[in-house]
Amino acid sequence: MTMTRDHGGGIDAAVAAYGGVRANWLDLSTGINPVAYPVPGLPEDAWTALPDAGAFNGLNAPARDFWRVPAGAEVLAAPGASALIARIPSLMAPGKVEITAPTYNEHLAAFRAAGWSEGTGGARVIVHPNNPDGRVWDEGDLGDNPLTVIDESFCDVMPGASLVHLAARPGVVVLKSFGKFWGLAGLRLGFAIAAPETIARLSEMIGPWAVSGPALATGAAALRDAAWAETTRARLSADALRLDGLMTRAGARVIGGTDLFRLYDVESAAAWQVRLARAHIWSRIFPYSERYLRLGLPGPGDWTRLESALA
């Protein structure tokens, strides 16, 4: 039987345990921007036609510009970063993979499923900035491995820290998630940036037409919208500071995170989760820590609700 791995979300289970209806819950268990990019009007053929090379090129070009992809690296759009994470271990014969814990657990699960074991000297995976503590890595942390995965799913709030300039190196794969910063997780869009031979192999693995026409069109519009990105970064930064102040006054201690989620040290994470859940606010706790509580950012109309739950 396949084991369910620990993730944020799970509102249906929260409703079953604490009542209410799904639409009335405030989900702060994920790191998804609560003010999503406004989905543009889509041409009819985005829904009716198989996406051709022009549609993919229409997305890849603004992706290159937005992320400043270096010459010698290419971009591959996929149906979510998770689809790429599941396939990346097959780029090499199984060996040892080094993944510093705690971090996003799908990476280790994917490597284990492909026959890898934990250790050094083969593949290296970093989540940059890390989930859940927000650790920021630098080039010197990577080492020299035949396969290096740099998961930048949360890096769009801090583009100056990106390691995408390394993506042209053989064996380096930089991952980008569209659902976090742009708040459109349901669109299922992610990207790999790597040397051409690596992109070619990943493309074969995910197959043709892997990304829907609506996702291609929406992603292209969002990646061209530099003004929205700049305004969003400023808002997220201010809201992260506001959340830290609120939680500190409630007795939590800030220990990390990003401008999309914050990590707190509390006396009992489980008790805090129950306290918030009774107000139909869902939070994130972790099986490896009794004290870690992670919260995403409330939307503009949800701050008073969180303040009342913590009063």
Side-chain angles (χ1 to χ4, degrees), residues 248-302:
T248 299
R249 290 190 294 274
R253 182 172 67 90
V254 183
I255 54 175
T258 73
D259 285 348
L260 283 165
F261 62 83
R262 309 300 293 156
L263 185 65
Y264 301 102
D265 177 75
V266 295
E267 185 173 349
S268 170
W272 275 68
Q273 185 178 59
V274 170
R275 175 185 178 186
L276 291 169
R278 287 173 176 161
H280 295 169
I281 299 172
W282 197 228
S283 57
R284 178 81 188 274
I285 61 176
F286 300 88
Y288 50 78
S289 173
E290 296 180 352
R291 301 184 65 95
Y292 278 10
L293 177 76
R294 201 192 77 176
L295 292 180
L297 302 180
D302 294 320

Side-chain angles (χ1 to χ4, degrees), residues 120-219:
T120 60
R124 178 84 167 98
V125 178
I126 65 168
V127 179
H128 168 72
N130 190 46
N131 177 11
D133 59 12
R135 176 178 176 176
V136 175
W137 303 79
D138 58 42
E139 188 172 342
D141 295 317
L142 299 181
D144 184 17
N145 298 281
L147 177 60
T148 300
V149 182
I150 305 171
D151 183 344
E152 294 195 347
S153 291
F154 290 100
C155 204
D156 290 312
V157 295
M158 48 191 306
S162 176
L163 297 174
V164 72
H165 61 279
L166 304 177
R169 294 185 181 181
V172 173
V173 182
V174 177
L175 296 176
K176 297 287 188 177
S177 170
F178 191 81
K180 308 297 192 304
F181 178 69
W182 283 273
L184 295 173
L187 198 65
R188 306 313 305 139
L189 180 62
F191 299 83
I193 305 171
E197 56 271 22
T198 301
I199 292 298
R201 294 189 62 196
L202 285 172
S203 180
E204 285 292 321
M205 291 178 190
I206 67 172
W209 313 300
V211 179
S212 71
L216 292 171
T218 302

Side-chain angles (χ1 to χ4, degrees), residues 102-118:
T103 194
Y104 183 56
N105 58 34
E106 288 298 323
H107 289 286
L108 182 56
F111 275 92
R112 283 177 170 169
W116 291 68
S117 58
E118 294 178 75

